[in-house]
Short mmCIF file of all heavy atoms in Angstrom, two decimals:
data_model
loop_
_atom_site.label_atom_id
_atom_site.label_comp_id
_atom_site.label_asym_id
_atom_site.label_seq_id
_atom_site.Cartn_x
_atom_site.Cartn_y
_atom_site.Cartn_z
N LEU A 378 18.67 26.17 -39.99
CA LEU A 378 17.26 26.31 -39.68
C LEU A 378 16.40 26.22 -40.94
O LEU A 378 15.30 25.65 -40.91
CB LEU A 378 17.02 27.63 -38.95
CG LEU A 378 17.71 27.75 -37.58
CD1 LEU A 378 17.52 29.14 -37.00
CD2 LEU A 378 17.18 26.70 -36.62
N ASP A 379 16.90 26.76 -42.05
CA ASP A 379 16.18 26.62 -43.33
C ASP A 379 16.06 25.15 -43.72
O ASP A 379 15.00 24.69 -44.17
CB ASP A 379 16.91 27.38 -44.44
CG ASP A 379 16.76 28.89 -44.33
OD1 ASP A 379 15.85 29.34 -43.60
OD2 ASP A 379 17.55 29.62 -44.97
N GLY A 380 17.16 24.42 -43.56
CA GLY A 380 17.14 23.00 -43.91
C GLY A 380 16.17 22.22 -43.04
O GLY A 380 15.46 21.33 -43.53
N LEU A 381 16.11 22.52 -41.76
CA LEU A 381 15.16 21.85 -40.88
C LEU A 381 13.72 22.18 -41.28
O LEU A 381 12.84 21.31 -41.26
CB LEU A 381 15.42 22.25 -39.42
CG LEU A 381 16.69 21.66 -38.79
CD1 LEU A 381 16.97 22.32 -37.45
CD2 LEU A 381 16.56 20.15 -38.62
N ALA A 382 13.47 23.44 -41.64
CA ALA A 382 12.12 23.84 -42.05
C ALA A 382 11.69 23.07 -43.29
O ALA A 382 10.53 22.65 -43.41
CB ALA A 382 12.07 25.35 -42.30
N ARG A 383 12.63 22.84 -44.22
CA ARG A 383 12.30 22.07 -45.42
C ARG A 383 11.96 20.63 -45.08
O ARG A 383 11.26 19.95 -45.83
CB ARG A 383 13.45 22.13 -46.43
CG ARG A 383 13.61 23.49 -47.11
CD ARG A 383 14.54 23.39 -48.30
NE ARG A 383 15.91 23.06 -47.92
CZ ARG A 383 16.84 23.95 -47.59
NH1 ARG A 383 16.54 25.26 -47.59
NH2 ARG A 383 18.06 23.56 -47.27
N ARG A 384 12.47 20.16 -43.95
CA ARG A 384 12.17 18.80 -43.49
C ARG A 384 10.88 18.76 -42.67
O ARG A 384 10.53 17.72 -42.12
CB ARG A 384 13.34 18.27 -42.65
CG ARG A 384 14.67 18.14 -43.39
CD ARG A 384 14.72 16.87 -44.19
NE ARG A 384 14.62 15.69 -43.34
CZ ARG A 384 15.65 15.09 -42.76
NH1 ARG A 384 16.89 15.54 -42.95
NH2 ARG A 384 15.48 14.02 -42.00
N GLY A 385 10.21 19.90 -42.54
CA GLY A 385 8.98 19.95 -41.75
C GLY A 385 9.21 20.21 -40.28
O GLY A 385 8.27 20.10 -39.48
N ILE A 386 10.43 20.57 -39.90
CA ILE A 386 10.75 20.87 -38.50
C ILE A 386 10.89 22.38 -38.40
O ILE A 386 11.95 22.96 -38.66
CB ILE A 386 12.05 20.16 -38.06
CG1 ILE A 386 11.93 18.66 -38.31
CG2 ILE A 386 12.35 20.44 -36.59
CD1 ILE A 386 13.24 17.91 -38.13
N ASP A 387 9.79 23.02 -38.09
CA ASP A 387 9.74 24.48 -38.12
C ASP A 387 10.04 25.02 -36.73
O ASP A 387 9.22 24.93 -35.81
CB ASP A 387 8.35 24.94 -38.58
CG ASP A 387 8.36 26.40 -39.01
OD1 ASP A 387 9.45 26.97 -39.14
OD2 ASP A 387 7.26 26.96 -39.18
N LEU A 388 11.23 25.56 -36.56
CA LEU A 388 11.70 26.07 -35.28
C LEU A 388 11.75 27.60 -35.33
O LEU A 388 11.73 28.19 -36.42
CB LEU A 388 13.09 25.51 -34.97
CG LEU A 388 13.22 23.98 -34.97
CD1 LEU A 388 14.65 23.58 -34.67
CD2 LEU A 388 12.27 23.36 -33.95
N PRO A 389 11.85 28.25 -34.18
CA PRO A 389 12.04 29.71 -34.19
C PRO A 389 13.23 30.09 -35.06
O PRO A 389 14.25 29.40 -35.05
CB PRO A 389 12.29 30.04 -32.71
CG PRO A 389 11.60 28.94 -31.97
CD PRO A 389 11.76 27.72 -32.81
N ARG A 390 13.09 31.18 -35.80
CA ARG A 390 14.11 31.51 -36.80
C ARG A 390 15.14 32.52 -36.33
O ARG A 390 16.10 32.79 -37.04
CB ARG A 390 13.43 32.02 -38.08
CG ARG A 390 12.40 31.05 -38.66
CD ARG A 390 12.98 29.65 -38.83
NE ARG A 390 13.97 29.59 -39.87
CZ ARG A 390 13.67 29.41 -41.16
NH1 ARG A 390 12.41 29.25 -41.53
NH2 ARG A 390 14.61 29.37 -42.06
N GLU A 391 14.95 33.10 -35.15
CA GLU A 391 15.91 34.07 -34.64
C GLU A 391 16.69 33.45 -33.49
O GLU A 391 16.18 33.32 -32.38
CB GLU A 391 15.20 35.35 -34.18
CG GLU A 391 14.55 36.15 -35.30
CD GLU A 391 15.59 36.71 -36.26
OE1 GLU A 391 16.72 37.02 -35.82
OE2 GLU A 391 15.28 36.80 -37.47
N PRO A 392 17.94 33.05 -33.73
CA PRO A 392 18.72 32.45 -32.64
C PRO A 392 18.92 33.42 -31.48
O PRO A 392 19.17 34.61 -31.68
CB PRO A 392 20.06 32.11 -33.31
CG PRO A 392 19.76 32.04 -34.78
CD PRO A 392 18.68 33.06 -35.00
N ALA A 393 18.79 32.87 -30.28
CA ALA A 393 19.12 33.66 -29.10
C ALA A 393 20.62 33.68 -28.86
O ALA A 393 21.17 34.62 -28.30
CB ALA A 393 18.40 33.10 -27.88
N LEU A 394 21.28 32.62 -29.32
CA LEU A 394 22.72 32.48 -29.08
C LEU A 394 23.27 31.49 -30.10
O LEU A 394 22.63 30.48 -30.40
CB LEU A 394 22.94 31.95 -27.66
CG LEU A 394 24.36 31.82 -27.14
CD1 LEU A 394 25.00 33.20 -27.00
CD2 LEU A 394 24.35 31.12 -25.78
N ILE A 395 24.45 31.78 -30.65
CA ILE A 395 25.14 30.87 -31.57
C ILE A 395 26.55 30.65 -31.04
O ILE A 395 27.27 31.61 -30.75
CB ILE A 395 25.21 31.44 -33.00
CG1 ILE A 395 23.81 31.75 -33.54
CG2 ILE A 395 25.93 30.48 -33.93
CD1 ILE A 395 23.83 32.53 -34.85
N THR A 396 26.94 29.39 -30.90
CA THR A 396 28.29 29.05 -30.46
C THR A 396 29.01 28.34 -31.60
O THR A 396 28.50 27.35 -32.13
CB THR A 396 28.26 28.14 -29.22
OG1 THR A 396 27.47 28.76 -28.20
CG2 THR A 396 29.67 27.92 -28.68
N THR A 397 30.16 28.84 -31.99
CA THR A 397 30.93 28.28 -33.10
C THR A 397 32.30 27.82 -32.61
O THR A 397 32.68 28.09 -31.46
CB THR A 397 31.13 29.33 -34.20
OG1 THR A 397 32.10 30.30 -33.74
CG2 THR A 397 29.82 30.03 -34.57
N PRO A 398 33.08 27.14 -33.45
CA PRO A 398 34.43 26.77 -33.04
C PRO A 398 35.27 27.95 -32.58
O PRO A 398 36.12 27.80 -31.69
CB PRO A 398 35.00 26.12 -34.31
CG PRO A 398 33.81 25.50 -34.96
CD PRO A 398 32.70 26.49 -34.74
N ALA A 399 35.04 29.13 -33.15
CA ALA A 399 35.79 30.31 -32.69
C ALA A 399 35.45 30.64 -31.24
O ALA A 399 36.32 31.03 -30.46
CB ALA A 399 35.48 31.50 -33.59
N ASP A 400 34.18 30.47 -30.87
CA ASP A 400 33.78 30.72 -29.48
C ASP A 400 34.37 29.67 -28.54
O ASP A 400 34.80 29.99 -27.43
CB ASP A 400 32.25 30.71 -29.37
CG ASP A 400 31.61 31.83 -30.17
OD1 ASP A 400 32.01 32.99 -29.99
OD2 ASP A 400 30.73 31.53 -31.01
N TRP A 401 34.40 28.40 -28.99
CA TRP A 401 35.02 27.38 -28.15
C TRP A 401 36.50 27.69 -27.95
O TRP A 401 37.03 27.50 -26.84
CB TRP A 401 34.87 26.00 -28.79
CG TRP A 401 33.47 25.49 -28.90
CD1 TRP A 401 32.79 25.18 -30.05
CD2 TRP A 401 32.55 25.21 -27.84
NE1 TRP A 401 31.52 24.73 -29.77
CE2 TRP A 401 31.35 24.74 -28.42
CE3 TRP A 401 32.64 25.31 -26.45
CZ2 TRP A 401 30.25 24.37 -27.65
CZ3 TRP A 401 31.53 24.94 -25.68
CH2 TRP A 401 30.36 24.49 -26.28
N ALA A 402 37.17 28.20 -28.99
CA ALA A 402 38.58 28.56 -28.85
C ALA A 402 38.76 29.69 -27.85
O ALA A 402 39.68 29.68 -27.02
CB ALA A 402 39.15 28.94 -30.21
N ARG A 403 37.89 30.70 -27.91
CA ARG A 403 37.98 31.81 -26.96
C ARG A 403 37.72 31.35 -25.53
O ARG A 403 38.22 31.97 -24.58
CB ARG A 403 37.00 32.91 -27.36
CG ARG A 403 37.50 33.76 -28.53
CD ARG A 403 36.61 34.97 -28.77
NE ARG A 403 35.40 34.61 -29.46
CZ ARG A 403 35.24 34.67 -30.78
NH1 ARG A 403 36.26 35.08 -31.55
NH2 ARG A 403 34.10 34.34 -31.35
N ALA A 404 36.96 30.27 -25.38
CA ALA A 404 36.70 29.73 -24.05
C ALA A 404 37.87 28.88 -23.55
O ALA A 404 37.82 28.35 -22.42
CB ALA A 404 35.43 28.89 -24.06
N GLY A 405 38.91 28.72 -24.38
CA GLY A 405 40.11 28.02 -23.94
C GLY A 405 40.26 26.60 -24.42
O GLY A 405 41.14 25.88 -23.95
N HIS A 406 39.44 26.18 -25.39
CA HIS A 406 39.51 24.81 -25.89
C HIS A 406 40.45 24.72 -27.09
O HIS A 406 40.26 25.41 -28.09
CB HIS A 406 38.12 24.31 -26.28
CG HIS A 406 37.17 24.26 -25.12
ND1 HIS A 406 37.24 23.27 -24.16
CD2 HIS A 406 36.15 25.08 -24.75
CE1 HIS A 406 36.29 23.49 -23.26
NE2 HIS A 406 35.62 24.58 -23.59
N THR A 407 41.44 23.85 -27.00
CA THR A 407 42.43 23.68 -28.06
C THR A 407 41.75 23.36 -29.39
O THR A 407 40.85 22.53 -29.46
CB THR A 407 43.39 22.53 -27.69
OG1 THR A 407 44.04 22.85 -26.45
CG2 THR A 407 44.44 22.34 -28.77
N ASP A 408 42.20 24.06 -30.44
CA ASP A 408 41.68 23.87 -31.80
C ASP A 408 40.18 24.16 -31.91
O ASP A 408 39.52 23.75 -32.86
CB ASP A 408 41.97 22.46 -32.33
CG ASP A 408 43.46 22.21 -32.52
OD1 ASP A 408 44.21 23.19 -32.74
OD2 ASP A 408 43.89 21.05 -32.42
N GLY A 409 39.64 24.87 -30.92
CA GLY A 409 38.24 25.27 -31.00
C GLY A 409 37.26 24.12 -30.92
O GLY A 409 36.18 24.19 -31.51
N THR A 410 37.59 23.06 -30.17
CA THR A 410 36.66 21.96 -30.01
C THR A 410 36.49 21.61 -28.54
O THR A 410 37.49 21.45 -27.82
CB THR A 410 37.10 20.69 -30.77
OG1 THR A 410 36.18 19.62 -30.45
CG2 THR A 410 38.51 20.28 -30.44
N PRO A 411 35.26 21.47 -28.07
CA PRO A 411 35.04 21.05 -26.69
C PRO A 411 35.18 19.55 -26.49
O PRO A 411 35.08 19.05 -25.37
CB PRO A 411 33.59 21.49 -26.43
CG PRO A 411 32.93 21.37 -27.76
CD PRO A 411 33.98 21.77 -28.77
N PHE A 412 35.44 18.81 -27.60
CA PHE A 412 35.51 17.35 -27.54
C PHE A 412 36.93 16.81 -27.41
O PHE A 412 37.15 15.59 -27.52
CB PHE A 412 34.83 16.75 -28.78
CG PHE A 412 33.40 17.19 -28.93
CD1 PHE A 412 33.02 17.99 -30.00
CD2 PHE A 412 32.45 16.83 -28.01
CE1 PHE A 412 31.71 18.41 -30.15
CE2 PHE A 412 31.12 17.25 -28.14
CZ PHE A 412 30.75 18.04 -29.22
N ALA A 413 37.89 17.71 -27.21
CA ALA A 413 39.27 17.33 -26.88
C ALA A 413 39.91 16.46 -27.96
O ALA A 413 39.59 16.60 -29.15
CB ALA A 413 39.33 16.66 -25.51
N LEU A 414 40.80 15.57 -27.55
CA LEU A 414 41.55 14.73 -28.48
C LEU A 414 40.67 13.65 -29.08
O LEU A 414 39.88 13.01 -28.38
CB LEU A 414 42.73 14.08 -27.76
CG LEU A 414 43.87 14.99 -27.33
CD1 LEU A 414 44.80 14.23 -26.38
CD2 LEU A 414 44.64 15.51 -28.52
N ALA A 415 40.84 13.41 -30.38
CA ALA A 415 40.13 12.31 -31.02
C ALA A 415 40.63 10.98 -30.47
O ALA A 415 41.79 10.84 -30.06
CB ALA A 415 40.35 12.36 -32.54
N HIS A 416 39.76 9.98 -30.48
CA HIS A 416 40.11 8.67 -29.95
C HIS A 416 40.67 7.77 -31.05
O HIS A 416 40.15 6.68 -31.32
CB HIS A 416 38.90 8.02 -29.30
CG HIS A 416 38.54 8.63 -27.98
ND1 HIS A 416 38.90 8.09 -26.77
CD2 HIS A 416 37.88 9.77 -27.68
CE1 HIS A 416 38.46 8.85 -25.79
NE2 HIS A 416 37.84 9.88 -26.32
N THR A 417 41.75 8.23 -31.68
CA THR A 417 42.49 7.36 -32.59
C THR A 417 43.22 6.31 -31.76
O THR A 417 43.33 6.44 -30.53
CB THR A 417 43.50 8.17 -33.40
OG1 THR A 417 44.45 8.76 -32.48
CG2 THR A 417 42.82 9.28 -34.20
N PHE A 418 43.71 5.27 -32.43
CA PHE A 418 44.44 4.24 -31.69
C PHE A 418 45.61 4.85 -30.93
O PHE A 418 45.90 4.48 -29.79
CB PHE A 418 44.94 3.15 -32.64
CG PHE A 418 45.68 2.05 -31.94
CD1 PHE A 418 45.00 1.02 -31.30
CD2 PHE A 418 47.07 2.04 -31.89
CE1 PHE A 418 45.69 0.01 -30.63
CE2 PHE A 418 47.77 1.04 -31.24
CZ PHE A 418 47.06 0.02 -30.60
N ALA A 419 46.30 5.83 -31.56
CA ALA A 419 47.47 6.45 -30.94
C ALA A 419 47.10 7.41 -29.82
O ALA A 419 47.99 7.95 -29.17
CB ALA A 419 48.29 7.19 -32.01
N GLN A 420 45.80 7.62 -29.59
CA GLN A 420 45.34 8.50 -28.52
C GLN A 420 44.28 7.80 -27.67
O GLN A 420 43.34 8.41 -27.19
CB GLN A 420 44.80 9.82 -29.11
CG GLN A 420 45.86 10.64 -29.79
CD GLN A 420 45.36 11.91 -30.45
OE1 GLN A 420 46.14 12.79 -30.81
NE2 GLN A 420 44.05 12.05 -30.63
#
Side-chain angles (χ1 to χ4, degrees):
L378 297 175
D379 286 344
L381 288 170
R383 288 193 295 272
R384 298 279 298 272
I386 304 170
D387 196 12
L388 304 179
R390 304 308 291 274
E391 293 295 328
L394 184 66
I395 303 170
T396 306
T397 73
D400 297 307
W401 295 119
R403 282 189 282 266
H406 298 285
T407 301
D408 294 333
T410 174
F412 303 114
L414 291 168
H416 286 261
T417 62
F418 181 81
Q420 294 177 166

